[in-house]
Amino acid sequence: MDARLDYFASPRAGKALKHFMSAGKALKESSLPAVTQELVALRVSQINGCAACLDMHTKEAAAAGESQVRLHMVAAWREATVFTGAERAALELAEQGTRVADAAGGVSDEVWARAARHYDEEQLTALVILVSFMNTVNRLNIITRQPAGAYEVGQFH
């Protein structure tokens, strides 16, 4: 499969994406735990069906020491016993934040309260921006049919 667009071949797109990706770098440097960031990135990408992001984030998480069991269980996190309460709250917030068109109410007060019990304001801010960031990246990749499978750990960091 070939991508419809090569974002890196266009000077204008390259400039815009450079600025956009700097937001992703800032998220990596936030106090939101790195493992939580990867789990959230995976869940958002699963919901949206973004193969390129699934390729990237499963490889990044595995390289950081995440277990295969947990990576395989992200799609069914509600029934899985391998996630902490904080991770479960982040995954729930990520799901509702991703499915805003499906849930007219957006993120419920109950889901927000569960996340707020586990994360401080800086971490909640990073979590909200991460969910939004991943949804945008997923759409950039899906619209242009970016292929998956060739990502190498650290390629975009």
Side-chain angles (χ1 to χ4, degrees), residues 100-147:
V100 292
D102 301 335
V107 175
S108 72
D109 290 339
E110 294 79 18
V111 167
W112 184 262
R114 279 192 284 278
R117 282 196 291 271
H118 295 281
Y119 300 103
D120 63 27
E121 189 169 327
E122 180 184 334
Q123 292 169 322
L124 284 169
T125 300
L127 185 56
V128 169
I129 294 170
L130 175 61
V131 171
S132 301
F133 179 84
M134 286 308 305
N135 274 286
T136 301
V137 173
N138 288 171
R139 280 152 180 76
L140 286 167
N141 288 333
I142 292 166
I143 291 167
T144 60
R145 292 189 179 162
Q146 297 297 315

Side-chain angles (χ1 to χ4, degrees), residues 1-5 51-53 55 141 144-151:
M1 178 169 129
D2 292 326
R4 290 175 170 161
L5 291 176
C53 288
D55 182 32
N141 288 333
T144 60
R145 292 189 179 162
Q146 297 297 315
Y151 179 80

Side-chain angles (χ1 to χ4, degrees), residues 28 35 37-43 45-46 50-75 134 148-154 157:
K28 292 278 185 202
V35 68
Q37 291 187 42
E38 293 300 340
L39 295 173
V40 165
L42 282 173
R43 187 65 191 125
S45 299
Q46 287 171 340
C50 182
C53 288
L54 288 168
D55 182 32
M56 176 181 180
H57 292 287
T58 54
K59 289 174 180 174
E60 289 289 345
E66 187 58 75
S67 76
Q68 291 299 310
V69 170
R70 284 171 43 96
L71 291 176
H72 292 298
M73 297 302 292
V74 170
M134 286 308 305
Y151 179 80
E152 294 181 22
V153 173
H157 302 326

